Amino acid sequence: MKAYLKPLAVLAAILAFALWNGAAMTAHTDRWRAQVEQADALAQAEDWSRAVEILADSYADWSGKQTYLHIVTEHDAVDDAEAMYRRALAFAATRELTEFRAELADLRDQLRLLAEMERLNVKNVL
């Protein structure tokens, strides 16, 4: 029985980390998605300065988690979201509402995908 304790402890630690990581990623992406939605609403209301401010704050928050994101998830997915943030900021600077909203929609979906990729479920295990 003693021979099984160490491997079981390692498996329990891995499971605990996987569950924590899934919850942490969901919390982060939910926050970023809410910020993006707020920027979208402000742009629709023609409050471009606040929209840019909110999106820039979201991007700063996102940038602060880059090390964590690159450790726990696929680099391509993180890089795609990074590019979407930058394009959205560029469209906001030029006040291109249609392009801005389209980019934000893609960014929201990409953030949802990041959280989905880290959830512990059968699709991700197999």
Side-chain angles (χ1 to χ4, degrees):
M1 182 65 178
K2 268 188 161 181
Y4 295 113
L5 289 180
K6 286 183 182 177
L8 286 176
V10 169
L11 287 174
I14 292 170
L15 176 62
F17 175 75
L19 293 171
W20 170 84
N21 183 57
M25 184 66 79
T26 297
H28 292 313
T29 57
D30 285 350
R31 183 178 64 252
W32 296 324
R33 289 176 70 204
Q35 292 165 338
V36 167
E37 287 176 17
Q38 186 180 10
D40 188 12
L42 288 166
Q44 288 181 64
E46 297 293 323
D47 188 354
W48 284 102
S49 61
R50 284 282 297 142
V52 169
E53 181 183 330
I54 295 295
L55 190 59
D57 289 347
S58 181
Y59 180 67
D61 184 14
W62 161 266
S63 295
K65 300 292 184 212
Q66 286 300 300
T67 301
Y68 165 73
L69 292 169
H70 279 284
I71 290 170
V72 301
T73 196
E74 292 181 23
H75 291 272
D76 288 343
V78 174
D79 293 343
D80 288 347
E82 173 83 16
M84 290 174 191
Y85 261 114
R86 290 179 181 265
R87 283 192 300 268
L89 285 166
F91 288 132
T94 60
R95 299 181 178 199
E96 298 272 347
L97 183 61
T98 304
E99 296 294 333
F100 180 69
R101 295 199 66 223
E103 198 63 45
L104 290 184
D106 288 344
L107 178 55
R108 281 192 300 268
D109 193 52
Q110 186 70 14
L111 293 171
R112 182 198 51 78
L113 176 66
L114 282 172
E116 185 178 297
M117 288 169 42
E118 297 306 316
R119 283 192 197 107
L120 184 62
N121 60 34
V122 174
K123 184 175 88 174
N124 289 340
V125 172
L126 297 179

